[in-house]
Amino acid sequence: MLFGDLPIPERFNAAARAGFANVESWWPWPDANPSDAEIDRFVTALRDSGVSLRALNFWAGDMAAGDRGVMDDVEQLSDFRENIAIVIGIARRTGCRTFNALYGKGRSGASETQRREVAVANYREAARAAASVGGTVVIEPLKYPDNGHYPVLTLDDADDLRSEIGEPNVELLVDTFHLSANGVDVPAAIAAHANHVGHVQIADFPGRGRPGTGDIDFVAIGTALRGIAYEGYVGAEFVAEGSIPTPGELAAALETAR
């Protein structure tokens, strides 16, 4: 998101020039099953830039058209299952070990019960595949009502789903923008789910800008993350206006630079 004005392969070099050694990426293609040549270009661009891929989304449907995941969609089942193998193939080539699987917003028109059954089964398949490379699948709450009938709005929701899935390598994604938009006390939620925070993304609210442009207390969030001894990565998933903040500046916003 920091380099959204550039073609995806060029964003890695831009991240490196801005001082980042690690990056994360949404699914880079509109399709679940890109060609081998497209995957090769992605992996080569990543390797040539010198940065490491730390988190990658599974295919989430047509994001530009409003899709927010396909885990709950029986009509997309075969495409998603094929996508799992492709994601794990990329993981083997890049060392990526964190994989974000968006739930979905009910595009098939199925009942809530049917959607849940399909989603749980898909999360289990994704988690078992991720385990083959030592990876973790994370569940992300999204902002209401912008994302339709997306049922995971809080870390409590995500943790209920995690428990139902029942795989040991399924964890929670803390996105400060989405959670704050849904009225969640983010530091308290981090503390309440201390054992299952698998990834963190930061953006301020309102506006989804860099820390300091909205109302979120990032010092409190940094304190909460230190309080649970979080050792994972923090993704800068915000819309940058003007200059790109350095990793050190972002760390300072969370008081982790000291």
Side-chain angles (χ1 to χ4, degrees):
M1 286 184 66
L2 289 184
F3 309 101
D5 57 334
L6 297 174
I8 286 175
E10 296 179 21
R11 297 180 193 181
F12 299 135
N13 280 328
R17 289 194 298 270
F20 293 90
N22 304 288
V23 298
E24 63 181 6
S25 178
W26 290 2
W27 184 244
W29 304 281
D31 304 318
N33 308 303
S35 68
D36 290 344
E38 289 175 307
I39 294 171
D40 286 343
R41 284 194 292 271
F42 177 81
V43 173
T44 298
L46 181 69
R47 183 187 307 120
D48 289 349
S49 72
V51 298
S52 297
L53 184 65
R54 299 302 182 183
L56 176 67
N57 282 28
F58 286 97
W59 176 63
D62 188 344
M63 294 280 284
D67 287 346
R68 292 297 181 267
V70 297
M71 304 296 281
D72 66 340
D73 191 348
V74 67
E75 295 176 2
Q76 303 283 349
L77 186 61
S78 61
D79 284 338
F80 180 73
R81 295 295 174 89
E82 291 178 19
N83 182 249
I84 291 174
I86 294 170
V87 169
I88 299 307
I90 293 172
R92 294 187 190 280
R93 297 176 64 180
T94 63
C96 182
R97 296 295 180 263
T98 299
F99 311 102
N100 184 9
L102 296 180
Y103 187 103
K105 50 189 247 184
R107 64 173 272 177
S108 67
S111 70
E112 293 292 333
T113 299
Q114 291 169 323
R115 290 176 61 198
R116 187 75 166 200
E117 290 174 352
V118 173
V120 167
N122 276 332
Y123 274 108
R124 285 175 180 157
E125 289 295 320
R128 290 165 184 170
S132 71
V133 293
T136 299
V137 172
V138 292
I139 303 171
E140 180 177 15
L142 294 186
K143 181 177 182 290
Y144 178 83
D146 298 18
N147 296 289
H149 297 291
Y150 193 95
V152 184
L153 305 179
T154 67
L155 289 189
D156 289 341
D157 293 337
D159 200 40
D160 288 344
L161 178 58
R162 180 198 63 80
S163 296
E164 189 173 348
I165 294 162
E167 297 294 329
N169 62 325
V170 176
E171 302 290 7
L172 315 180
L173 193 159
V174 174
D175 183 302
T176 62
F177 168 79
H178 289 295
L179 293 173
S180 296
N182 290 340
V184 173
D185 181 334
V186 181
I190 289 170
H193 298 283
N195 295 329
H196 294 291
V197 175
H199 190 55
V200 176
Q201 294 171 337
I202 56 172
D204 218 326
F205 176 81
R208 206 170 188 178
R210 66 190 287 173
T213 59
D215 299 330
I216 295 177
D217 183 350
F218 282 96
V219 172
I221 289 171
T223 299
L225 291 172
R226 288 191 298 277
I228 67 169
Y230 177 71
E231 296 182 346
Y233 291 92
V234 175
E237 197 187 51
F238 53 81
V239 179
E241 295 183 358
S243 61
I244 303 294
T246 67
E249 289 170 335
L250 293 173
L254 293 164
E255 285 196 346
T256 57
R258 59 189 179 183

